[in-house]
Amino acid sequence: MFFPVSSPSNMEHTSSQVLLDNFNGDTSNGLLSDMKTDKFTQVAEVKELVENGRFVGPEIEIKSTGGDCCRKEKKIRKHRYAFQTRSRVDILDDGYRWRKYGQKAVKNNKFPRNYYRCTHQGCNVKKQVQRLTKDETVVLTTYEGVHTHPMDKPVDDFQNILNQNQIYTPF
DNA sequence: CGAATTTGACCGGCGC
DNA sequence: GCGCCGGTCAAATTCG
């Protein structure tokens, strides 16, 4: 799996993965519960939106299982995407600027969940970050939405430096 | 002083 | 309807 993030010097990533299991109805950790209530139970595809080699946002494409007899499978894009990272630090700098707007205690978890919104004007991408109790070296990050602007922070990765000269306009 | 964070209040959905 | 739960708001506070 492509890991979309730059690697500033204060980060220590040793692994990352997409939590495909949680998109299949497992809401035991309280995350992604709306996937269930929305009555979409099958994940057709989980992929990262990559434009010109640069990560621009997460995307989940879901095929609805219920519904219309006359219509073919309806595709719904939820733009929600989760991955977990093994890191000692909570603050994972992914190149975008986030404003914290909430913090909640999570059931069955001694660590709080943090809610962030992208500070860019008109870009309402959200993410939530929580540390797992069962392995407190794991940080689970859930993104919702797609950035409508390029990241504003320079990174030390050469490919990212090249890609900063490109503007992504999804609509 | 403007921007970001903190933190309790508030709100909507859901189960009983 | 009521309470719980997850998510968001917003006033107060802190930070740069």
PDB file of all heavy atoms in Angstrom, chain A residues 101-102 104 107 113 115 117 126, chain C residues 4-11:
ATOM      1  N   TYR A 101     -10.547  20.440  16.481  1.00  0.00           N
ATOM      2  CA  TYR A 101     -11.853  20.969  16.864  1.00  0.00           C
ATOM      3  C   TYR A 101     -12.563  20.086  17.862  1.00  0.00           C
ATOM      4  O   TYR A 101     -13.696  20.396  18.246  1.00  0.00           O
ATOM      5  CB  TYR A 101     -12.739  21.182  15.630  1.00  0.00           C
ATOM      6  CG  TYR A 101     -13.173  19.920  14.925  1.00  0.00           C
ATOM      7  CD1 TYR A 101     -14.357  19.264  15.287  1.00  0.00           C
ATOM      8  CD2 TYR A 101     -12.418  19.406  13.892  1.00  0.00           C
ATOM      9  CE1 TYR A 101     -14.755  18.125  14.627  1.00  0.00           C
ATOM     10  CE2 TYR A 101     -12.818  18.264  13.237  1.00  0.00           C
ATOM     11  CZ  TYR A 101     -13.983  17.620  13.611  1.00  0.00           C
ATOM     12  OH  TYR A 101     -14.379  16.473  12.959  1.00  0.00           O
ATOM     13  N   GLY A 102     -11.959  19.044  18.316  1.00  0.00           N
ATOM     14  CA  GLY A 102     -12.632  18.221  19.310  1.00  0.00           C
ATOM     15  C   GLY A 102     -11.762  17.089  19.810  1.00  0.00           C
ATOM     16  O   GLY A 102     -10.793  16.695  19.162  1.00  0.00           O
ATOM     17  N   LYS A 104     -12.487  13.398  22.130  1.00  0.00           N
ATOM     18  CA  LYS A 104     -13.464  12.579  22.831  1.00  0.00           C
ATOM     19  C   LYS A 104     -12.804  11.325  23.370  1.00  0.00           C
ATOM     20  O   LYS A 104     -11.926  10.751  22.736  1.00  0.00           O
ATOM     21  CB  LYS A 104     -14.574  12.159  21.864  1.00  0.00           C
ATOM     22  CG  LYS A 104     -15.725  13.131  21.794  1.00  0.00           C
ATOM     23  CD  LYS A 104     -16.413  13.254  23.133  1.00  0.00           C
ATOM     24  CE  LYS A 104     -17.888  13.457  22.982  1.00  0.00           C
ATOM     25  NZ  LYS A 104     -18.564  13.720  24.227  1.00  0.00           N
ATOM     26  N   LYS A 107     -14.694   4.569  23.874  1.00  0.00           N
ATOM     27  CA  LYS A 107     -15.060   3.396  24.664  1.00  0.00           C
ATOM     28  C   LYS A 107     -14.007   2.309  24.478  1.00  0.00           C
ATOM     29  O   LYS A 107     -13.487   2.104  23.387  1.00  0.00           O
ATOM     30  CB  LYS A 107     -16.423   2.890  24.175  1.00  0.00           C
ATOM     31  CG  LYS A 107     -17.310   2.370  25.274  1.00  0.00           C
ATOM     32  CD  LYS A 107     -18.645   1.965  24.687  1.00  0.00           C
ATOM     33  CE  LYS A 107     -19.495   1.260  25.725  1.00  0.00           C
ATOM     34  NZ  LYS A 107     -20.766   0.811  25.143  1.00  0.00           N
ATOM     35  N   ARG A 113      -9.739  10.261  21.357  1.00  0.00           N
ATOM     36  CA  ARG A 113      -9.691  10.433  19.906  1.00  0.00           C
ATOM     37  C   ARG A 113      -9.684  11.924  19.598  1.00  0.00           C
ATOM     38  O   ARG A 113     -10.422  12.699  20.189  1.00  0.00           O
ATOM     39  CB  ARG A 113     -10.909   9.772  19.262  1.00  0.00           C
ATOM     40  CG  ARG A 113     -10.948   9.903  17.759  1.00  0.00           C
ATOM     41  CD  ARG A 113     -12.211   9.271  17.200  1.00  0.00           C
ATOM     42  NE  ARG A 113     -12.285   7.856  17.533  1.00  0.00           N
ATOM     43  CZ  ARG A 113     -13.425   7.160  17.576  1.00  0.00           C
ATOM     44  NH1 ARG A 113     -14.560   7.769  17.353  1.00  0.00           N
ATOM     45  NH2 ARG A 113     -13.411   5.891  17.864  1.00  0.00           N
ATOM     46  N   TYR A 115     -10.031  15.105  16.866  1.00  0.00           N
ATOM     47  CA  TYR A 115     -10.695  15.473  15.620  1.00  0.00           C
ATOM     48  C   TYR A 115     -10.027  16.712  15.035  1.00  0.00           C
ATOM     49  O   TYR A 115      -9.837  17.708  15.724  1.00  0.00           O
ATOM     50  CB  TYR A 115     -12.177  15.757  15.862  1.00  0.00           C
ATOM     51  CG  TYR A 115     -12.930  14.567  16.391  1.00  0.00           C
ATOM     52  CD1 TYR A 115     -13.041  14.334  17.759  1.00  0.00           C
ATOM     53  CD2 TYR A 115     -13.521  13.661  15.511  1.00  0.00           C
ATOM     54  CE1 TYR A 115     -13.720  13.244  18.255  1.00  0.00           C
ATOM     55  CE2 TYR A 115     -14.204  12.568  16.001  1.00  0.00           C
ATOM     56  CZ  TYR A 115     -14.299  12.359  17.371  1.00  0.00           C
ATOM     57  OH  TYR A 115     -14.969  11.269  17.847  1.00  0.00           O
ATOM     58  N   ARG A 117      -9.673  19.366  11.446  1.00  0.00           N
ATOM     59  CA  ARG A 117     -10.197  19.836  10.173  1.00  0.00           C
ATOM     60  C   ARG A 117      -9.080  20.575   9.446  1.00  0.00           C
ATOM     61  O   ARG A 117      -8.248  21.232  10.063  1.00  0.00           O
ATOM     62  CB  ARG A 117     -11.363  20.807  10.414  1.00  0.00           C
ATOM     63  CG  ARG A 117     -12.456  20.741   9.371  1.00  0.00           C
ATOM     64  CD  ARG A 117     -13.430  21.872   9.532  1.00  0.00           C
ATOM     65  NE  ARG A 117     -14.186  21.806  10.802  1.00  0.00           N
ATOM     66  CZ  ARG A 117     -15.324  21.135  10.936  1.00  0.00           C
ATOM     67  NH1 ARG A 117     -15.817  20.476   9.927  1.00  0.00           N
ATOM     68  NH2 ARG A 117     -15.956  21.133  12.089  1.00  0.00           N
ATOM     69  N   LYS A 126     -11.648  16.339   6.835  1.00  0.00           N
ATOM     70  CA  LYS A 126     -11.536  16.056   8.257  1.00  0.00           C
ATOM     71  C   LYS A 126     -10.684  14.815   8.468  1.00  0.00           C
ATOM     72  O   LYS A 126     -10.552  13.975   7.584  1.00  0.00           O
ATOM     73  CB  LYS A 126     -12.930  15.844   8.859  1.00  0.00           C
ATOM     74  CG  LYS A 126     -13.716  17.110   8.999  1.00  0.00           C
ATOM     75  CD  LYS A 126     -15.097  16.850   9.530  1.00  0.00           C
ATOM     76  CE  LYS A 126     -16.013  16.347   8.438  1.00  0.00           C
ATOM     77  NZ  LYS A 126     -17.411  16.288   8.891  1.00  0.00           N
TER      78      LYS A 126
ATOM     79  P    DC C   4     -27.317   7.375  30.530  1.00  0.00           P
ATOM     80  OP1  DC C   4     -26.991   6.530  31.696  1.00  0.00           O
ATOM     81  OP2  DC C   4     -27.100   8.838  30.576  1.00  0.00           O
ATOM     82  O5'  DC C   4     -26.556   6.773  29.262  1.00  0.00           O
ATOM     83  C5'  DC C   4     -26.978   5.527  28.722  1.00  0.00           C
ATOM     84  C4'  DC C   4     -26.368   5.339  27.350  1.00  0.00           C
ATOM     85  O4'  DC C   4     -27.118   6.094  26.368  1.00  0.00           O
ATOM     86  C3'  DC C   4     -24.914   5.807  27.245  1.00  0.00           C
ATOM     87  O3'  DC C   4     -24.175   4.835  26.529  1.00  0.00           O
ATOM     88  C2'  DC C   4     -25.018   7.111  26.451  1.00  0.00           C
ATOM     89  C1'  DC C   4     -26.238   6.845  25.568  1.00  0.00           C
ATOM     90  N1   DC C   4     -26.961   8.068  25.138  1.00  0.00           N
ATOM     91  C2   DC C   4     -27.268   8.244  23.788  1.00  0.00           C
ATOM     92  O2   DC C   4     -26.916   7.372  22.980  1.00  0.00           O
ATOM     93  N3   DC C   4     -27.939   9.358  23.409  1.00  0.00           N
ATOM     94  C4   DC C   4     -28.293  10.261  24.309  1.00  0.00           C
ATOM     95  N4   DC C   4     -28.958  11.343  23.885  1.00  0.00           N
ATOM     96  C5   DC C   4     -27.999  10.107  25.698  1.00  0.00           C
ATOM     97  C6   DC C   4     -27.331   9.000  26.065  1.00  0.00           C
ATOM     98  P    DC C   5     -22.600   4.833  26.593  1.00  0.00           P
ATOM     99  OP1  DC C   5     -22.189   3.448  26.882  1.00  0.00           O
ATOM    100  OP2  DC C   5     -22.159   5.949  27.440  1.00  0.00           O
ATOM    101  O5'  DC C   5     -22.214   5.187  25.091  1.00  0.00           O
ATOM    102  C5'  DC C   5     -22.967   4.628  24.012  1.00  0.00           C
ATOM    103  C4'  DC C   5     -22.657   5.374  22.733  1.00  0.00           C
ATOM    104  O4'  DC C   5     -23.561   6.501  22.601  1.00  0.00           O
ATOM    105  C3'  DC C   5     -21.238   5.945  22.677  1.00  0.00           C
ATOM    106  O3'  DC C   5     -20.658   5.602  21.435  1.00  0.00           O
ATOM    107  C2'  DC C   5     -21.444   7.453  22.797  1.00  0.00           C
ATOM    108  C1'  DC C   5     -22.833   7.626  22.184  1.00  0.00           C
ATOM    109  N1   DC C   5     -23.562   8.817  22.661  1.00  0.00           N
ATOM    110  C2   DC C   5     -24.263   9.622  21.743  1.00  0.00           C
ATOM    111  O2   DC C   5     -24.258   9.300  20.558  1.00  0.00           O
ATOM    112  N3   DC C   5     -24.924  10.703  22.194  1.00  0.00           N
ATOM    113  C4   DC C   5     -24.904  11.010  23.490  1.00  0.00           C
ATOM    114  N4   DC C   5     -25.560  12.094  23.882  1.00  0.00           N
ATOM    115  C5   DC C   5     -24.188  10.224  24.430  1.00  0.00           C
ATOM    116  C6   DC C   5     -23.541   9.137  23.983  1.00  0.00           C
ATOM    117  P    DG C   6     -19.098   5.633  21.263  1.00  0.00           P
ATOM    118  OP1  DG C   6     -18.654   4.263  20.955  1.00  0.00           O
ATOM    119  OP2  DG C   6     -18.515   6.377  22.396  1.00  0.00           O
ATOM    120  O5'  DG C   6     -18.944   6.519  19.958  1.00  0.00           O
ATOM    121  C5'  DG C   6     -19.756   6.240  18.823  1.00  0.00           C
ATOM    122  C4'  DG C   6     -19.909   7.482  17.973  1.00  0.00           C
ATOM    123  O4'  DG C   6     -20.744   8.441  18.659  1.00  0.00           O
ATOM    124  C3'  DG C   6     -18.606   8.208  17.651  1.00  0.00           C
ATOM    125  O3'  DG C   6     -18.599   8.485  16.266  1.00  0.00           O
ATOM    126  C2'  DG C   6     -18.653   9.476  18.499  1.00  0.00           C
ATOM    127  C1'  DG C   6     -20.144   9.714  18.620  1.00  0.00           C
ATOM    128  N9   DG C   6     -20.560  10.418  19.828  1.00  0.00           N
ATOM    129  C8   DG C   6     -20.147  10.176  21.110  1.00  0.00           C
ATOM    130  N7   DG C   6     -20.701  10.962  22.003  1.00  0.00           N
ATOM    131  C5   DG C   6     -21.524  11.778  21.252  1.00  0.00           C
ATOM    132  C6   DG C   6     -22.372  12.825  21.666  1.00  0.00           C
ATOM    133  O6   DG C   6     -22.577  13.253  22.805  1.00  0.00           O
ATOM    134  N1   DG C   6     -23.041  13.401  20.588  1.00  0.00           N
ATOM    135  C2   DG C   6     -22.895  13.009  19.277  1.00  0.00           C
ATOM    136  N2   DG C   6     -23.607  13.678  18.374  1.00  0.00           N
ATOM    137  N3   DG C   6     -22.103  12.030  18.873  1.00  0.00           N
ATOM    138  C4   DG C   6     -21.451  11.458  19.915  1.00  0.00           C
ATOM    139  P    DG C   7     -17.332   9.157  15.592  1.00  0.00           P
ATOM    140  OP1  DG C   7     -17.214   8.593  14.246  1.00  0.00           O
ATOM    141  OP2  DG C   7     -16.193   9.107  16.526  1.00  0.00           O
ATOM    142  O5'  DG C   7     -17.795  10.677  15.448  1.00  0.00           O
ATOM    143  C5'  DG C   7     -18.976  10.972  14.719  1.00  0.00           C
ATOM    144  C4'  DG C   7     -19.342  12.427  14.864  1.00  0.00           C
ATOM    145  O4'  DG C   7     -19.760  12.688  16.208  1.00  0.00           O
ATOM    146  C3'  DG C   7     -18.224  13.426  14.572  1.00  0.00           C
ATOM    147  O3'  DG C   7     -18.666  14.303  13.559  1.00  0.00           O
ATOM    148  C2'  DG C   7     -18.000  14.147  15.905  1.00  0.00           C
ATOM    149  C1'  DG C   7     -19.347  13.982  16.572  1.00  0.00           C
ATOM    150  N9   DG C   7     -19.322  14.065  18.027  1.00  0.00           N
ATOM    151  C8   DG C   7     -18.581  13.298  18.890  1.00  0.00           C
ATOM    152  N7   DG C   7     -18.775  13.600  20.146  1.00  0.00           N
ATOM    153  C5   DG C   7     -19.688  14.644  20.112  1.00  0.00           C
ATOM    154  C6   DG C   7     -20.276  15.382  21.153  1.00  0.00           C
ATOM    155  O6   DG C   7     -20.102  15.276  22.374  1.00  0.00           O
ATOM    156  N1   DG C   7     -21.167  16.338  20.679  1.00  0.00           N
ATOM    157  C2   DG C   7     -21.440  16.558  19.354  1.00  0.00           C
ATOM    158  N2   DG C   7     -22.317  17.528  19.074  1.00  0.00           N
ATOM    159  N3   DG C   7     -20.897  15.878  18.364  1.00  0.00           N
ATOM    160  C4   DG C   7     -20.041  14.941  18.805  1.00  0.00           C
ATOM    161  P    DT C   8     -17.705  15.451  12.984  1.00  0.00           P
ATOM    162  OP1  DT C   8     -18.028  15.569  11.554  1.00  0.00           O
ATOM    163  OP2  DT C   8     -16.331  15.187  13.417  1.00  0.00           O
ATOM    164  O5'  DT C   8     -18.237  16.765  13.727  1.00  0.00           O
ATOM    165  C5'  DT C   8     -19.608  17.095  13.598  1.00  0.00           C
ATOM    166  C4'  DT C   8     -19.943  18.319  14.425  1.00  0.00           C
ATOM    167  O4'  DT C   8     -19.834  18.004  15.826  1.00  0.00           O
ATOM    168  C3'  DT C   8     -19.038  19.527  14.184  1.00  0.00           C
ATOM    169  O3'  DT C   8     -19.861  20.644  13.907  1.00  0.00           O
ATOM    170  C2'  DT C   8     -18.268  19.684  15.499  1.00  0.00           C
ATOM    171  C1'  DT C   8     -19.243  19.093  16.492  1.00  0.00           C
ATOM    172  N1   DT C   8     -18.639  18.566  17.730  1.00  0.00           N
ATOM    173  C2   DT C   8     -19.067  19.067  18.937  1.00  0.00           C
ATOM    174  O2   DT C   8     -19.909  19.944  19.024  1.00  0.00           O
ATOM    175  N3   DT C   8     -18.462  18.513  20.037  1.00  0.00           N
ATOM    176  C4   DT C   8     -17.499  17.528  20.052  1.00  0.00           C
ATOM    177  O4   DT C   8     -17.039  17.116  21.109  1.00  0.00           O
ATOM    178  C5   DT C   8     -17.095  17.045  18.766  1.00  0.00           C
ATOM    179  C7   DT C   8     -16.046  15.966  18.668  1.00  0.00           C
ATOM    180  C6   DT C   8     -17.682  17.579  17.671  1.00  0.00           C
ATOM    181  P    DC C   9     -19.244  22.058  13.509  1.00  0.00           P
ATOM    182  OP1  DC C   9     -20.002  22.554  12.359  1.00  0.00           O
ATOM    183  OP2  DC C   9     -17.773  21.955  13.453  1.00  0.00           O
ATOM    184  O5'  DC C   9     -19.636  22.929  14.776  1.00  0.00           O
ATOM    185  C5'  DC C   9     -20.921  22.759  15.348  1.00  0.00           C
ATOM    186  C4'  DC C   9     -21.076  23.617  16.595  1.00  0.00           C
ATOM    187  O4'  DC C   9     -20.455  22.954  17.725  1.00  0.00           O
ATOM    188  C3'  DC C   9     -20.431  24.996  16.500  1.00  0.00           C
ATOM    189  O3'  DC C   9     -21.316  25.931  17.092  1.00  0.00           O
ATOM    190  C2'  DC C   9     -19.137  24.848  17.305  1.00  0.00           C
ATOM    191  C1'  DC C   9     -19.533  23.819  18.350  1.00  0.00           C
ATOM    192  N1   DC C   9     -18.420  22.956  18.851  1.00  0.00           N
ATOM    193  C2   DC C   9     -18.249  22.776  20.221  1.00  0.00           C
ATOM    194  O2   DC C   9     -18.999  23.358  21.007  1.00  0.00           O
ATOM    195  N3   DC C   9     -17.256  21.966  20.653  1.00  0.00           N
ATOM    196  C4   DC C   9     -16.462  21.345  19.777  1.00  0.00           C
ATOM    197  N4   DC C   9     -15.507  20.559  20.254  1.00  0.00           N
ATOM    198  C5   DC C   9     -16.626  21.513  18.373  1.00  0.00           C
ATOM    199  C6   DC C   9     -17.610  22.325  17.954  1.00  0.00           C
ATOM    200  P    DA C  10     -21.236  27.473  16.748  1.00  0.00           P
ATOM    201  OP1  DA C  10     -22.624  27.989  16.668  1.00  0.00           O
ATOM    202  OP2  DA C  10     -20.301  27.676  15.633  1.00  0.00           O
ATOM    203  O5'  DA C  10     -20.571  28.034  18.079  1.00  0.00           O
ATOM    204  C5'  DA C  10     -21.051  27.572  19.340  1.00  0.00           C
ATOM    205  C4'  DA C  10     -20.121  28.016  20.445  1.00  0.00           C
ATOM    206  O4'  DA C  10     -19.097  27.015  20.660  1.00  0.00           O
ATOM    207  C3'  DA C  10     -19.358  29.324  20.161  1.00  0.00           C
ATOM    208  O3'  DA C  10     -19.218  30.031  21.387  1.00  0.00           O
ATOM    209  C2'  DA C  10     -18.010  28.825  19.668  1.00  0.00           C
ATOM    210  C1'  DA C  10     -17.830  27.618  20.587  1.00  0.00           C
ATOM    211  N9   DA C  10     -16.883  26.639  20.085  1.00  0.00           N
ATOM    212  C8   DA C  10     -16.499  26.425  18.791  1.00  0.00           C
ATOM    213  N7   DA C  10     -15.628  25.460  18.651  1.00  0.00           N
ATOM    214  C5   DA C  10     -15.430  25.005  19.938  1.00  0.00           C
ATOM    215  C6   DA C  10     -14.621  23.999  20.463  1.00  0.00           C
ATOM    216  N6   DA C  10     -13.833  23.221  19.715  1.00  0.00           N
ATOM    217  N1   DA C  10     -14.662  23.808  21.809  1.00  0.00           N
ATOM    218  C2   DA C  10     -15.446  24.588  22.553  1.00  0.00           C
ATOM    219  N3   DA C  10     -16.249  25.558  22.174  1.00  0.00           N
ATOM    220  C4   DA C  10     -16.194  25.721  20.837  1.00  0.00           C
ATOM    221  P    DA C  11     -19.452  31.622  21.374  1.00  0.00           P
ATOM    222  OP1  DA C  11     -20.891  31.844  21.184  1.00  0.00           O
ATOM    223  OP2  DA C  11     -18.464  32.265  20.488  1.00  0.00           O
ATOM    224  O5'  DA C  11     -19.081  31.985  22.880  1.00  0.00           O
ATOM    225  C5'  DA C  11     -19.551  31.159  23.945  1.00  0.00           C
ATOM    226  C4'  DA C  11     -18.463  30.942  24.973  1.00  0.00           C
ATOM    227  O4'  DA C  11     -17.550  29.916  24.492  1.00  0.00           O
ATOM    228  C3'  DA C  11     -17.603  32.166  25.269  1.00  0.00           C
ATOM    229  O3'  DA C  11     -17.352  32.231  26.678  1.00  0.00           O
ATOM    230  C2'  DA C  11     -16.323  31.909  24.481  1.00  0.00           C
ATOM    231  C1'  DA C  11     -16.224  30.396  24.519  1.00  0.00           C
ATOM    232  N9   DA C  11     -15.533  29.812  23.371  1.00  0.00           N
ATOM    233  C8   DA C  11     -15.612  30.195  22.065  1.00  0.00           C
ATOM    234  N7   DA C  11     -14.882  29.474  21.250  1.00  0.00           N
ATOM    235  C5   DA C  11     -14.269  28.554  22.076  1.00  0.00           C
ATOM    236  C6   DA C  11     -13.368  27.507  21.829  1.00  0.00           C
ATOM    237  N6   DA C  11     -12.912  27.202  20.604  1.00  0.00           N
ATOM    238  N1   DA C  11     -12.951  26.782  22.882  1.00  0.00           N
ATOM    239  C2   DA C  11     -13.411  27.080  24.092  1.00  0.00           C
ATOM    240  N3   DA C  11     -14.262  28.038  24.460  1.00  0.00           N
ATOM    241  C4   DA C  11     -14.657  28.743  23.392  1.00  0.00           C
TER     242       DA C  11
END
